[in-house]
Amino acid sequence: MKKVDTKMLVSIALLIALNVVFSRIISISTLSFKISFTFVTVFLAAYLYGPFVSVLVASAGDFIGALLFPVGAYNPLFTITAALSGLVYGIFLYKNNNLIKQLITVFLNRIVVSLFINTYFISIVIDKPLSLLIPTRIMQNVVMLVIEFITIRMLAKYIPKLKELADGK
């Protein structure tokens, strides 16, 4: 990770704030179904600053969003899945943003983290069997897999300009 300076701190704070807005205000959400663009902030944090910052943006965004806009009681299990998602983005996309790594990242996040881990946590929190949640969650994750991949591919075109802005060039 590069040296932390004021510009980097402001960028990270902005990404966290956007994460909260995308997650809590500009999203379609029910108890077991959610369509949002929070992945954009995590993707940018991962590519620009690496795994540590992408985990920070994802987990801080989830935690702050839960405090400011609660939907029931706060549960740290969902912050753990947000952090895992940030970690996947950071590991695969830091400084190397190609088609294969994008596919792997989106697939791991949508299938492993969201469909399996997060669905399991949802079943624990709302005390419903996985069999009732899986059909809806499969539909959500297939939709989000496509949206996420297309959005990341489109944003990847602008990464060099974003990188220049982040580096102050």
Side-chain angles (χ1 to χ4, degrees):
M1 192 170 100
K2 66 186 198 178
K3 183 181 171 198
V4 177
D5 60 5
T6 305
K7 184 178 265 188
M8 183 179 174
L9 287 175
V10 171
S11 297
I12 293 168
L14 179 63
L15 289 171
I16 292 170
L18 284 171
N19 187 289
V20 172
V21 169
F22 287 162
S23 175
R24 303 297 175 150
I25 298 172
I26 306 173
S27 66
I28 300 167
S29 186
T30 67
L31 209 47
S32 64
F33 186 92
K34 185 172 188 174
I35 303 289
S36 82
F37 285 90
T38 56
F39 66 88
V40 171
T41 62
V42 180
F43 165 69
L44 292 173
Y47 185 82
L48 296 172
Y49 302 115
F52 177 76
V53 174
S54 60
V55 168
L56 175 67
V57 167
S59 56
D62 181 77
F63 181 72
I64 293 168
L67 291 178
L68 295 176
F69 305 99
V71 180
Y74 170 72
N75 193 312
L77 294 175
F78 300 118
T79 303
I80 291 169
T81 57
L84 284 172
S85 179
L87 185 62
V88 170
Y89 270 99
I91 289 171
F92 287 99
L93 299 181
Y94 182 48
K95 292 186 178 179
N96 191 354
N97 186 11
N98 63 45
L99 175 69
I100 300 301
K101 289 192 174 195
Q102 291 168 353
L103 277 171
I104 291 169
T105 301
V106 171
F107 183 80
L108 286 174
N109 266 315
R110 288 290 117 209
I111 304 306
V112 176
V113 176
S114 184
L115 183 60
F116 293 123
I117 297 171
N118 210 34
T119 303
Y120 176 69
F121 289 163
I122 290 169
S123 75
I124 291 170
V125 169
I126 66 173
D127 196 29
K128 299 282 183 198
L130 279 171
S131 59
L132 291 178
L133 299 174
I134 288 292
T136 304
R137 299 285 296 166
I138 288 173
M139 183 177 65
Q140 172 204 348
N141 281 289
V142 167
V143 169
M144 283 306 300
L145 191 141
V146 172
I147 290 171
E148 202 166 319
F149 181 71
I150 290 171
T151 304
I152 287 173
R153 290 298 299 159
M154 289 175 21
L155 285 174
K157 295 175 187 174
Y158 301 102
I159 287 294
K161 289 183 183 191
L162 286 172
K163 186 73 171 147
E164 286 177 14
L165 286 172
D167 291 341
K169 295 179 182 174

